[in-house]
Amino acid sequence: MKRAVYPGSFDPVTFGHLDIIKRSAKLVDELVVAVLQNNKKNPLFSVEERVKILQEVTKDIENVRIESFSGLSIEFARKCEAGFLVRGLRAITDFDYELQMAQTNRVLAPDVDTIFLTTSLEYAYLSSSTVKEVAYYGGDISEFVPEPALRAINRKLQYKEKRQ
Ligand code: PNS
């Protein structure tokens, strides 16, 4: 079975991530979207919330499952018996870090290849951080994230507002 792992923070999932998920799912028998648990970035959503949103967003894609992981992505890929790691490239600014990560991972696990998909042009500017910032200041993010993520962000921000 050809299996790939697509690791990331997904805090929250954007249309850019969904584009990579849909396209990479077509290349393999099974795609495991792996949500990083021990995220140093102080995420807006807990790992359980991120997994739940992703499950809703991908419920119609048969060969996709959502998991959480901690530690190294490459170790998680091995644990899943995946032959590939998937990463999206938006712009040249992503390239340095992604190349470094792919090459390090290749030394750690020569049997796992990183596949890069270039993000579709209409989503090339998108990032979870900018989406959160726009939402935080009350901007409309419906063009940036799928409906379940939109609802979750609105709920989360309302909850935070109430607590302040
Ligand atoms: O969505 P992101 O934040 O760009 O994803 C980055 C991620 C989760 C893929 C990366 O930080 C990662 O793999 N973290 C787990 C630890 C690890 O494997 N680091 C890379 C060592 S080369």
Side-chain angles (χ1 to χ4, degrees):
M1 181 189 262
K2 214 187 281 177
R3 184 179 290 121
V5 165
Y6 176 26
S9 306
F10 305 106
D11 185 45
V13 56
T14 67
F15 281 127
H17 295 127
L18 186 56
D19 169 55
I20 299 293
I21 292 172
K22 284 181 179 163
R23 286 162 54 211
S24 54
K26 287 188 190 149
L27 302 175
V28 290
D29 300 310
E30 184 177 51
L31 178 71
V32 182
V33 179
V35 184
L36 181 65
Q37 193 160 22
N38 57 347
N39 202 329
K40 292 179 201 145
K41 293 180 186 169
N42 188 20
L44 177 64
F45 291 103
S46 70
V47 72
E48 292 80 12
E49 290 171 322
R50 285 178 274 151
V51 165
K52 205 165 157 233
I53 297 168
L54 272 159
Q55 278 168 341
E56 265 191 79
V57 166
T58 59
K59 65 179 190 307
D60 295 329
I61 316 173
E62 266 180 20
N63 63 335
V64 171
R65 75 181 151 94
I66 316 296
E67 299 278 352
S68 62
F69 77 105
S70 54
L72 294 173
S73 320
I74 200 72
E75 285 304 326
F76 184 73
R78 272 206 163 139
K79 204 173 119 197
C80 294
E81 298 183 354
F84 308 95
L85 273 183
V86 172
R87 291 291 290 166
L89 283 178
R90 289 166 301 189
I92 192 76
T93 41
D94 286 337
F95 187 74
D96 263 358
Y97 170 64
E98 293 296 337
L99 182 69
Q100 198 178 18
M101 204 158 60
Q103 289 179 333
T104 309
N105 283 336
R106 187 136 177 79
V107 173
L108 294 174
D111 48 327
V112 181
D113 255 315
T114 300
I115 302 177
F116 290 114
L117 292 185
T118 53
T119 307
S120 297
L121 273 182
E122 66 258 50
Y123 307 123
Y125 64 92
L126 259 182
S127 79
S128 297
S129 328
T130 50
V131 166
K132 281 182 283 192
E133 188 159 332
V134 173
Y136 185 80
Y137 289 108
D140 177 11
I141 54 165
S142 56
E143 294 280 316
F144 308 145
V145 297
E147 186 64 33
L150 182 64
R151 276 187 269 118
I153 293 176
N154 287 338
R155 266 200 312 269
K156 178 76 73 179
L157 293 179
Q158 273 167 13
Y159 175 76
K160 283 198 163 184
E161 252 172 41
K162 271 190 200 151
R163 290 186 51 143
Q164 278 164 6

